Amino acid sequence: MKYNIEELMKQEGSIGAWIKDLDMAFTNLTRETPYGSFDRIDWQSLTFLNNHPNTSVAEVKKLLQYFTDETELNHRIKDFENKKFILIGNEGQIEFTELGMKAFKKASAVQAEILEKSFTDITQADYVTTIRVVKQMLQNIQPYINNTPKT
């Protein structure tokens, strides 16, 4: 370390705080559409259902367990079913309905706008450097953590 990390953190803030703030911002993003408002969990669900047309409730829960608990997941799945975005078969298989696909397309358009705005004034080199730094920090602190972070 050839610089004063404490001074740098005073000037810029800690990288951990910035990452936590960014994660919180992603969590609270809302994709407003004629089919409703879709938050991070809804967006992940719609995307998964669109990309995996022959899936099951168990597979959706497996993906989304990273974002929330089982009670919330059950609520979200039931909400999608009530809105007629999905049909759930007797074996737990999920069918993404035409209405669900329309909702995904509208939410996807809003997501594309969010993505474009989020990368304003950020170069490819900036992005690559940020990812490299975060990965390196995770590797550096690995011996000090109890649970391996998902990378």
Side-chain angles (χ1 to χ4, degrees):
M1 189 166 59
K2 298 177 182 168
Y3 52 90
N4 183 331
I5 190 68
E6 290 173 3
E7 187 60 36
L8 185 59
M9 287 173 67
K10 279 183 191 175
Q11 292 172 7
E12 301 295 332
S14 84
I15 195 167
W18 283 109
I19 289 171
K20 189 172 182 175
D21 286 350
L22 182 60
D23 182 59
M24 186 60 69
F26 283 143
T27 298
N28 291 305
L29 284 174
T30 304
R31 293 138 193 96
E32 298 290 340
T33 76
Y35 300 97
S37 297
F38 299 100
D39 65 10
R40 185 183 205 177
I41 297 169
D42 293 331
W43 171 245
Q44 293 294 335
S45 301
L46 288 171
T47 301
F48 185 80
L49 291 166
N50 184 68
N51 294 338
H52 301 88
N54 297 312
T55 193
S56 68
V57 170
E59 288 170 327
V60 172
K61 285 182 178 183
K62 183 177 177 184
L63 167 78
L64 296 176
Q65 70 184 352
Y66 180 73
F67 297 102
T68 192
D69 62 35
E70 186 165 1
T71 301
E72 181 65 19
L73 291 175
N74 289 333
H75 171 74
R76 300 295 180 114
I77 291 167
K78 191 67 175 164
D79 185 51
F80 273 23
E81 188 177 30
N82 290 341
K83 290 178 179 174
K84 310 277 191 253
F85 293 162
I86 61 173
L87 298 173
I88 301 176
N90 292 336
E91 302 293 318
Q93 289 302 114
I94 295 178
E95 180 183 337
F96 202 28
T97 67
E98 186 175 329
L99 184 61
M101 287 184 237
K102 287 179 181 179
F104 169 76
K105 286 179 182 172
K106 291 290 186 182
S108 185
V110 176
Q111 178 65 21
E113 181 182 326
I114 291 168
L115 188 61
E116 184 176 335
K117 286 184 181 193
S118 70
F119 279 89
T120 299
D121 299 326
I122 297 173
T123 67
Q124 181 177 346
D126 293 336
Y127 186 80
V128 169
T129 298
T130 301
I131 298 300
R132 184 186 59 75
V133 168
V134 171
K135 282 181 172 180
Q136 186 62 54
M137 289 183 84
L138 282 168
Q139 184 177 344
N140 292 348
I141 65 172
Q142 186 64 40
Y144 303 98
I145 57 179
N146 291 327
N147 295 320
T148 304
K150 296 177 181 175
T151 55

